């Protein structure tokens, strides 16, 4: 529902927006990453990856079913969870959409992730994720990455 309470968090989306469970379409996923200034993913990678989402949400606004934001959790569903692909199209940023999506992901984790699970993420935005308890891992551990085309 437009402006509806998000998973009982008490937060409301602005009028004209609706949070939905599940991932957006492949085309919307690719478009949203670009619209949020994130690195492109190939259509093949997105087609393979989206069905393996542990839990996802997206926000629609404007035209019916026009996705303006998305976020998902990937992992093994038991001990390892990664917040991934958090994106809000630039014209829709700053309206609480990212916060509503993150509230939904955290609510899902509280209800479904076993005790002792590990939740990680790579943050492109400073100061956003800390409100949900995330903290930098260094110096206790160091995040590392490599792109598959470099292997």
């Amino acid at each position: 529902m437009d402006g509806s309470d998000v998973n009982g968090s008490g937060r409301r989306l602005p009028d004209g927006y609706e949070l939905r469970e599940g991932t957006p379409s492949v085309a919307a996923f690719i478009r949203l990453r670009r619209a949020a200034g994130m690195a492109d993913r190939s259509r093949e990678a997105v087609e393979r990856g989206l069905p393996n989402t542990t839990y996802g949400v997206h926000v629609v606004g404007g035209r019916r079913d026009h996705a303006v934001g998305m976020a998902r959790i990937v992992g093994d569903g038991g001990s390892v969870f990664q917040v991934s692909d958090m994106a809000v199209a630039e014209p829709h940023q700053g309206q609480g959409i990212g916060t509503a999506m993150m509230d939904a992901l955290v609510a899902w984790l509280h209800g479904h992730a076993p005790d002792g699970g590990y939740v990680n993420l790579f943050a492109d935005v400073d100061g956003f994720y800390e409100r949900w308890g995330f903290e930098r891992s260094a110096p206790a551990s160091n995040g590392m990455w490599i792109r598959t085309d470099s292997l």
Side-chain angles (χ1 to χ4, degrees):
M1 291 185 206
D2 288 352
S4 62
D5 185 3
V6 179
N7 282 329
S9 68
R11 295 189 187 273
R12 296 178 62 81
L13 287 167
D15 288 340
Y17 293 100
E18 179 185 350
L19 185 131
R20 296 181 182 172
E21 288 187 316
T23 58
S25 69
V26 169
F29 181 97
I30 292 169
R31 178 184 51 77
L32 279 170
R33 285 189 61 90
R34 283 188 189 135
M38 298 168 70
D40 284 340
R41 297 286 184 260
S42 72
R43 178 170 282 282
E44 177 187 6
V46 176
E47 287 173 347
R48 284 188 191 187
L50 280 182
N52 297 311
T53 299
T54 302
Y55 178 74
V57 296
H58 63 285
V59 171
V60 296
R63 298 188 315 241
R64 181 109 177 112
D65 294 329
H66 184 75
V68 300
M70 65 178 179
R72 67 190 188 123
I73 297 170
V74 297
D76 64 13
S79 64
V80 178
F81 302 87
Q82 181 171 355
V83 175
S84 180
D85 303 309
M86 167 70 84
V88 177
E90 193 170 329
H92 303 275
Q93 293 176 2
Q95 300 183 54
I97 293 169
T99 297
M101 292 189 304
M102 195 63 195
D103 282 347
L105 296 185
V106 170
W108 184 89
L109 286 164
H110 281 296
H112 295 86
D115 288 343
Y118 181 78
V119 183
N120 65 60
L121 58 83
F122 289 102
D124 295 334
V125 178
D126 287 331
F128 180 75
Y129 297 98
E130 289 83 353
R131 67 184 100 168
W132 292 279
F134 287 89
E135 53 189 63
R136 296 182 185 278
S137 60
S141 63
N142 292 310
M144 303 174 109
W145 65 278
I146 188 170
R147 293 201 187 275
T148 55
D149 56 357
S150 298
L151 295 173

